[in-house]
Amino acid sequence: MNAESAISAYLKPRIAVMLALGFSSGLPFLLIFGTLSAWLREEHVTRTAIGLMSYAGLGYAIKFLWAPILDQVRVPLLDTALGKRRAWMLVSQIAVAAALIAISFCDPQTTLMPLAALAVGLCFAAATQDISVDAWRIEAADVNEQGAMAAAYQLGYRLAILASGAGALYIAQYDSWHIAYLSMAALTAIGVIATLLAPRVEEKPKAQTPHRGLYWLYHAVIEPFTDFFSRHGTEGLLILALIGLYRVPDFVMGVMANPLYIDLGFSLATIATIVKIFGVGMTILGAIAGGVSVARLGILKSLLIGGIAIFAGNLTFAWLATQSNIPSALAIAISVANFASGFAGTALVAYMSSLTNRAFTATQYALFSSFYALPGKLLGGQSGAAVDWFARHPLVMRIGAIPPEAAGYVPFFLCTAAMAFPAMFLILYEMKRGLRGHRA
């Protein structure tokens, strides 16, 4: 694909819809993770508790468990009017809005457990939305348009991060967290409108056989997985390992990013301006660069470049922890890390999309995205305890160059940077295997 055709792919009407749906998918993410962790840390919740609170987002990592329902079960009434994919999108978007409204009335100091339960519910609704949006994205575009669709999704997702990050923090500083979360609930209307405007994807008629009992279980749950391994054999395990390890550094370090900013003494307004506004701009640039790279260099080369960038981004956070309250240092670290995240995210979405069989779009893509999230989420839940452990370690305490308030963060981010190597080795193996297959 030449540069002109790569750019023209971004000008199709469905890309605008994908942009809005990407916004809808991205809106809840920080409200479960980053923004919520800033709220909790400002209310003096411990870092260990904040790390454990991140387990509320495990729904993103296990959504493959209920993805078969979205492939096989239709929403009554709405299915006739909207089609299977859009009906599920609308139901999940309404659930996201309801959860955000309920969270807005919580107080972390007195209702931490109810807040955690609502965060779990919000994650379940958001993950369900992701399943349906991903399925619509894959089914609504040809294979050669998936790079552009992935980039549009990432762009919309990052704009939502801007709203739920910078927007929520500004509102919290100048008004309250209650109004901040209510405002985010109002923004779910963007996703609802996009769902109603999205073109209805063609649905292949299914054989007239009873969808019940063991038959339904096999076709809804088992066949999507057997199909994947029948196409890839034992190499499928390496593919899943690559997907699962690729974003581990970002997921693990991300839980502790906002606590780091708070502990270094940055105000919510500064965090909003540099991290959430400027940072989102860098992520968007990275996402666009990733889409162009996929079109020009191919998916695996783009994945490798993204892996190297992730490694560099985590190293810059280790450096940031030594700089105290210096806005320019924060801007440098955010530039590197967020560009890397956007680039790698687009490359990974394109890679996972290329692996799906359209007969099982929702289930297989949910499987891939679950593998991509699960290892990082499980490790991320212990990130606060790891930072606290490093902070108390005698060797770290004797290093005078590290500010006391950030002592545990430097070795922590060095460890997350090292987590990028296993995925890069697997990408190199896949590239070498592809070359062998091409010669054969």
Side-chain angles (χ1 to χ4, degrees):
M1 182 181 289
N2 57 36
E4 182 178 352
S5 59
I7 294 173
S8 66
Y10 288 89
L11 304 179
K12 296 185 177 180
R14 74 188 67 181
I15 299 298
V17 172
M18 189 71 260
L19 184 71
L21 290 175
F23 181 93
S24 184
S25 288
L27 187 66
F29 186 78
L30 279 188
L31 301 174
I32 304 171
F33 297 105
T35 299
L36 181 60
S37 69
W39 182 11
L40 296 177
R41 191 58 177 162
E42 193 180 48
E43 296 291 337
H44 306 294
V45 176
T46 67
R47 288 180 298 208
T48 297
I50 293 172
L52 293 173
M53 190 76 165
S54 72
Y55 283 137
L58 276 177
Y60 279 111
I62 59 173
K63 59 188 177 183
F64 69 92
L65 294 176
W66 67 91
I69 296 175
L70 275 68
D71 260 337
Q72 301 294 328
V73 176
R74 298 177 180 273
V75 180
L77 301 178
L78 286 178
D79 178 77
T80 302
L82 301 176
K84 180 170 62 178
R85 301 306 184 196
R86 294 192 299 159
W88 277 111
M89 280 190 247
L90 185 60
V91 168
S92 58
Q93 287 160 353
I94 293 172
V96 166
L100 289 174
I101 292 170
I103 287 174
S104 74
F105 290 96
C106 290
D107 180 353
Q109 293 183 338
T110 59
T111 59
L112 186 60
M113 289 307 295
L115 175 59
L118 287 169
V120 171
L122 173 59
C123 182
F124 179 83
T128 301
Q129 178 183 207
D130 283 359
I131 295 168
S132 54
V133 169
D134 288 331
W136 180 88
R137 172 179 55 80
I138 295 169
E139 294 173 359
D142 296 332
V143 173
N144 60 0
E145 295 178 339
Q146 287 300 325
M149 291 288 275
Y153 177 88
Q154 288 287 319
L155 176 58
Y157 202 97
R158 297 305 167 178
L159 289 173
I161 295 297
L162 180 63
S164 61
L169 291 179
Y170 278 131
I171 295 170
Q173 171 140 351
Y174 297 113
D175 198 307
S176 66
W177 285 106
H178 166 67
I179 297 300
Y181 269 76
L182 280 181
S183 301
M184 297 304 106
L187 288 179
T188 60
I190 293 175
V192 172
I193 294 171
T195 295
L196 297 176
L197 294 178
R200 185 168 180 164
V201 296
E202 180 182 355
E203 298 176 14
K204 296 181 179 179
K206 297 184 179 293
Q208 298 300 314
T209 49
H211 283 234
R212 60 176 180 268
L214 293 178
Y215 174 87
W216 187 93
L217 179 66
Y218 175 78
H219 285 276
V221 180
I222 299 175
E223 191 174 9
F225 301 106
T226 58
D227 168 80
F228 172 74
F229 284 105
S230 68
R231 287 185 289 120
H232 298 284
T234 55
E235 295 291 339
L237 294 175
L238 293 179
I239 291 172
L240 292 178
L242 190 164
I243 292 171
L245 293 171
Y246 190 67
R247 298 298 298 276
V248 162
D250 280 350
F251 277 121
V252 177
M253 68 90 78
V255 178
M256 286 294 106
N258 275 316
L260 170 66
Y261 309 146
I262 298 295
D263 288 345
L264 288 177
F266 291 106
S267 69
L268 291 179
T270 300
I271 297 170
T273 302
I274 297 178
V275 178
K276 309 303 181 181
I277 295 180
F278 173 74
V280 167
M282 294 305 301
T283 307
I284 290 171
L285 287 178
I288 294 172
V292 173
S293 178
V294 168
R296 299 297 298 274
L297 301 179
I299 292 175
L300 287 178
K301 288 183 180 178
S302 299
L303 280 174
L304 183 60
I305 295 170
I308 296 170
I310 287 173
F311 171 75
N314 278 258
L315 285 182
T316 62
F317 262 72
W319 168 77
L320 173 64
T322 69
Q323 301 302 303
S324 297
N325 189 348
I326 303 176
S328 60
L330 179 60
I332 292 170
I334 288 300
S335 296
V336 178
N338 284 30
F339 184 90
S341 178
F343 189 104
T346 296
L348 183 60
V349 168
Y351 179 61
M352 294 189 298
S353 299
S354 71
L355 296 171
T356 58
N357 181 337
R358 295 198 177 196
F360 314 103
T361 308
T363 302
Q364 288 188 345
Y365 192 87
L367 170 67
F368 301 144
S369 56
S370 293
F371 268 87
Y372 128 75
L374 185 58
K377 299 296 185 189
L378 292 175
L379 291 173
Q382 299 302 315
S383 58
V387 172
D388 286 339
W389 184 84
F390 280 125
R392 295 190 300 266
H393 197 282
L395 180 61
V396 175
M397 294 175 67
R398 286 198 292 267
I399 302 177
I402 304 176
E405 66 273 10
Y409 290 106
V410 175
F412 171 74
F413 289 125
L414 290 175
C415 290
T416 62
M419 293 176 183
F421 289 116
M424 286 193 280
F425 290 142
L426 287 173
I427 294 168
L428 290 171
Y429 172 79
E430 285 296 303
M431 294 172 70
K432 184 177 180 180
R433 187 170 69 90
L435 288 174
R436 288 201 304 267
H438 181 70
R439 294 193 190 101

